Coordinates of all heavy atoms in Angstrom, one line a residue:
S28 N 135.5 61.6 107.9 CA 134.1 61.5 107.7 C 133.4 62.5 108.7 O 132.3 63.0 108.4 CB 133.6 60.1 108.0 OG 133.2 59.9 109.3
C29 N 134.1 62.8 109.8 CA 133.6 63.8 110.7 C 133.4 65.1 110.0 O 132.3 65.7 110.1 CB 134.6 64.0 111.8 SG 134.0 64.0 113.5
K30 N 134.4 65.5 109.3 CA 134.3 66.8 108.6 C 133.3 66.8 107.5 O 132.5 67.7 107.4 CB 135.7 67.2 108.1 CG 136.7 67.6 109.1 CD 138.1 67.7 108.6 CE 138.3 68.9 107.7 NZ 139.7 69.0 107.3
K31 N 133.3 65.7 106.7 CA 132.4 65.7 105.6 C 131.0 65.7 106.0 O 130.1 66.4 105.5 CB 132.7 64.4 104.8 CG 133.6 64.7 103.6 CD 133.8 63.4 102.7 CE 135.1 62.7 103.1 NZ 135.2 61.3 102.9
T32 N 130.7 64.8 107.0 CA 129.3 64.6 107.4 C 128.8 65.9 108.2 O 127.6 66.1 108.1 CB 129.1 63.4 108.3 OG1 130.1 63.4 109.3 CG2 129.2 62.1 107.5
T33 N 129.7 66.6 108.8 CA 129.2 67.8 109.5 C 128.6 68.8 108.4 O 127.6 69.4 108.6 CB 130.4 68.5 110.2 OG1 130.9 67.6 111.1 CG2 129.9 69.7 111.0
M34 N 129.3 68.8 107.3 CA 128.8 69.7 106.2 C 127.5 69.1 105.6 O 126.6 69.9 105.3 CB 129.9 69.8 105.1 CG 131.1 70.6 105.5 SD 132.3 70.5 104.2 CE 133.5 71.6 104.9
K35 N 127.4 67.8 105.5 CA 126.2 67.2 105.0 C 125.0 67.6 105.9 O 123.9 67.9 105.4 CB 126.4 65.7 104.9 CG 125.9 65.1 103.6 CD 125.8 63.6 103.7 CE 127.1 62.9 103.9 NZ 126.9 61.6 104.5
M36 N 125.3 67.5 107.2 CA 124.3 67.8 108.2 C 123.7 69.2 107.9 O 122.5 69.3 107.9 CB 124.9 67.7 109.6 CG 124.0 67.9 110.7 SD 123.6 69.6 111.1 CE 125.2 70.3 111.2
S37 N 124.5 70.1 107.6 CA 124.0 71.5 107.5 C 123.1 71.6 106.3 O 122.2 72.4 106.3 CB 125.2 72.5 107.4 OG 125.7 72.4 106.1
A38 N 123.4 70.8 105.3 CA 122.5 70.9 104.1 C 121.1 70.2 104.5 O 120.1 70.7 104.0 CB 123.1 70.2 103.0
A39 N 121.2 69.2 105.3 CA 120.0 68.4 105.6 C 119.1 69.2 106.6 O 117.9 69.2 106.4 CB 120.3 67.1 106.2
I40 N 119.7 69.8 107.6 CA 118.9 70.5 108.6 C 118.8 72.0 108.2 O 119.7 72.8 108.6 CB 119.6 70.3 110.0 CG1 119.7 68.9 110.3 CG2 118.8 71.1 111.1 CD1 118.4 68.1 110.4
K41 N 117.8 72.3 107.5 CA 117.6 73.7 107.1 C 116.5 74.3 108.0 O 115.4 73.7 108.2 CB 117.2 73.8 105.7 CG 118.4 73.9 104.7 CD 118.1 74.8 103.5 CE 119.2 75.8 103.2 NZ 119.1 77.1 103.7
V42 N 116.7 75.5 108.5 CA 115.7 76.1 109.4 C 114.4 76.4 108.6 O 114.5 76.9 107.5 CB 116.3 77.4 110.0 CG1 115.2 78.2 110.7 CG2 117.4 77.1 111.0
I43 N 113.3 76.0 109.2 CA 112.0 76.3 108.6 C 111.4 77.6 109.2 O 111.3 77.6 110.4 CB 111.1 75.1 108.8 CG1 111.6 73.8 108.1 CG2 109.7 75.4 108.2 CD1 110.9 72.6 108.4
T44 N 111.1 78.5 108.4 CA 110.5 79.8 108.9 C 109.0 79.8 108.6 O 108.6 79.5 107.5 CB 111.2 81.0 108.2 OG1 112.6 80.9 108.3 CG2 110.7 82.3 108.8
G45 N 108.3 80.1 109.7 CA 106.8 80.1 109.5 C 106.3 81.5 109.4 O 107.0 82.4 109.0
K46 N 105.0 81.6 109.8 CA 104.3 82.9 109.6 C 104.3 83.8 110.8 O 103.7 84.9 110.8 CB 102.9 82.7 109.1 CG 102.8 82.1 107.7 CD 101.4 82.0 107.2 CE 100.8 80.8 107.6 NZ 99.5 80.3 107.1
F47 N 104.9 83.3 111.9 CA 105.0 84.1 113.1 C 103.5 84.4 113.6 O 103.3 85.6 113.9 CB 105.9 85.3 113.0 CG 107.3 84.8 112.8 CD1 107.9 84.8 111.5 CD2 108.1 84.3 113.8 CE1 109.2 84.4 111.3 CE2 109.4 83.9 113.6 CZ 109.9 83.9 112.3
D48 N 102.7 83.4 113.6 CA 101.3 83.6 114.0 C 100.9 82.7 115.2 O 99.8 82.5 115.5 CB 100.3 83.3 112.8 CG 100.5 81.9 112.3 OD1 101.4 81.2 112.7 OD2 99.8 81.6 111.4
N49 N 102.0 82.2 115.9 CA 101.7 81.4 117.0 C 102.0 82.2 118.3 O 103.0 82.9 118.3 CB 102.7 80.2 117.0 CG 102.4 79.0 117.9 OD1 101.3 79.1 118.6 ND2 103.3 78.1 118.0
T50 N 101.1 82.2 119.2 CA 101.3 83.1 120.4 C 102.5 82.5 121.2 O 102.6 81.3 121.4 CB 100.1 83.1 121.3 OG1 99.4 81.9 121.2 CG2 99.2 84.3 121.0
L51 N 103.3 83.5 121.7 CA 104.5 83.1 122.5 C 104.0 82.5 123.8 O 103.2 83.2 124.5 CB 105.4 84.3 122.8 CG 106.6 84.1 123.7 CD1 107.6 83.3 122.9 CD2 107.2 85.4 124.2
H52 N 104.4 81.3 124.2 CA 104.1 80.7 125.5 C 104.9 81.4 126.6 O 106.1 81.5 126.4 CB 104.3 79.2 125.4 CG 104.1 78.5 126.6 ND1 105.1 77.8 127.3 CD2 103.0 78.4 127.4 CE1 104.5 77.3 128.4 NE2 103.3 77.6 128.5
L53 N 104.2 81.9 127.6 CA 104.9 82.5 128.7 C 104.7 81.6 129.9 O 103.6 81.4 130.4 CB 104.4 83.9 129.1 CG 104.7 85.0 128.0 CD1 104.1 86.3 128.4 CD2 106.2 85.1 127.9
P54 N 105.8 80.9 130.4 CA 105.7 80.0 131.5 C 105.1 80.7 132.8 O 105.5 81.8 133.0 CB 107.1 79.5 131.7 CG 107.9 79.9 130.5 CD 107.2 81.1 129.9
P55 N 104.3 80.0 133.6 CA 103.9 80.5 134.8 C 105.1 80.7 135.8 O 106.1 80.1 135.6 CB 102.9 79.5 135.4 CG 103.3 78.2 134.7 CD 103.8 78.6 133.4
I56 N 104.9 81.7 136.7 CA 106.0 81.9 137.6 C 105.7 81.4 139.0 O 104.5 81.6 139.5 CB 106.2 83.5 137.8 CG1 106.7 84.0 136.4 CG2 107.3 83.8 138.8 CD1 106.8 85.5 136.3
I57 N 106.6 80.6 139.6 CA 106.4 80.2 141.0 C 107.5 80.8 141.8 O 108.7 80.9 141.4 CB 106.3 78.7 141.2 CG1 107.4 77.9 140.4 CG2 104.9 78.2 140.7 CD1 107.3 76.4 140.6
T58 N 107.2 81.1 143.1 CA 108.3 81.7 143.9 C 108.7 80.6 144.9 O 108.0 79.7 145.2 CB 107.8 82.9 144.7 OG1 106.9 82.5 145.7 CG2 107.1 83.9 143.8
G59 N 109.9 80.9 145.4 CA 110.5 79.9 146.4 C 110.0 80.1 147.8 O 110.6 79.5 148.7
A60 N 109.0 80.9 148.0 CA 108.6 81.2 149.4 C 108.1 80.0 150.1 O 108.2 79.9 151.3 CB 107.5 82.3 149.3

Side-chain angles (χ1 to χ4, degrees):
S28 95
C29 225
K30 283 169 72 175
K31 263 182 262 152
T32 46
T33 305
M34 287 173 177
K35 228 196 292 159
M36 181 282 310
S37 76
I40 303 299
K41 273 215 135 263
V42 169
I43 299 173
T44 305
K46 292 189 275 190
F47 297 98
D48 57 357
N49 196 6
T50 31
L51 177 73
H52 177 239
L53 290 175
I56 297 173
I57 49 179
T58 71

